[in-house]
Amino acid sequence: LRDHEHLRGADLIALQEMDAPGTEAIARGLGLNYVYYPASIHPKHERDVGNAILTPWPIERSFKLPLPHRSRGLRQARLAAGAIVRVAGRALRVYSLHLGSPLGASPGQRRDQLQVVLCDAQDSPYPVVIAGDFNSKGLGERLVAAGYLWPTREVGSTTKWFSFDHVFVRGLPLG
């Protein structure tokens, strides 16, 4: 994050599958403000796991948005970490989310999870950034239909074979 030319100096960083000490260590190491919310305790590792937003800008408010449908098998909860971040004097509503995995949630359950975020963001007076692990490329068209731009549409594989990690923006110009 310090050395990569495209990541160095990022205004917003959305992290998933984090724990509190890891989030704090990354934020402290990079000198960033952060918000972290745990979704559940991982039953195998017995540590909290959740999502975070890191930024060099002021975080005016943060919130935890619980998502429906615990995962099959491990029964883990999902959430979106949210924040109002003032970037260069402009307030943004930012979400870091991690939707259910293909093994842990059906496509319909992932759509339900995304819908909770879209409903929460719908009446935002600020531009909106939704970033994270969607565990699906197919949900991108749903966000586009809701008025979001998809700057990471052609990013390529973000896991071994799939393009699951994306950023969507509404109310901000690209470029």
Side-chain angles (χ1 to χ4, degrees), residues 15-140:
L15 300 175
Q16 297 79 45
E17 298 186 45
M18 295 299 299
D19 64 9
T23 301
E24 182 178 1
I26 292 170
R28 183 178 296 136
L30 296 172
L32 300 176
N33 300 312
Y34 74 95
V35 58
Y36 166 77
Y37 285 104
S40 60
I41 301 296
H42 194 285
K44 291 183 182 177
H45 307 293
E46 296 183 6
R47 63 177 176 83
D48 60 294
V49 62
N51 305 327
I53 298 166
L54 285 67
T55 180
W57 301 98
I59 297 172
E60 294 184 350
R61 183 171 75 82
S62 69
F63 54 93
K64 176 180 179 174
L65 187 61
L67 303 178
H69 309 298
R70 288 184 172 271
S71 64
R72 292 188 288 256
L74 297 179
R75 306 293 303 148
Q76 287 190 271
R78 299 290 175 155
L79 65 79
I84 304 300
V85 179
R86 188 152 301 269
V87 176
R90 182 178 198 179
L92 303 178
R93 187 173 191 90
V94 181
Y95 298 88
S96 174
L97 58 80
H98 187 190
L99 302 183
S101 73
L103 294 176
S106 70
Q109 288 173 325
R110 282 191 295 284
R111 282 191 300 273
D112 291 348
Q113 291 171 341
L114 178 60
Q115 191 60 39
V116 168
V117 178
L118 289 174
C119 285
D120 190 74
Q122 183 174 342
D123 295 326
S124 174
Y126 311 121
V128 177
V129 177
I130 301 174
D133 184 346
F134 290 79
N135 273 309
S136 167
K137 186 174 182 179
L139 292 174

Side-chain angles (χ1 to χ4, degrees), residues 1-11:
L1 291 172
R2 259 192 223 119
D3 300 331
H4 192 281
E5 67 178 300
H6 298 297
L7 301 176
R8 181 179 47 244
D11 288 317

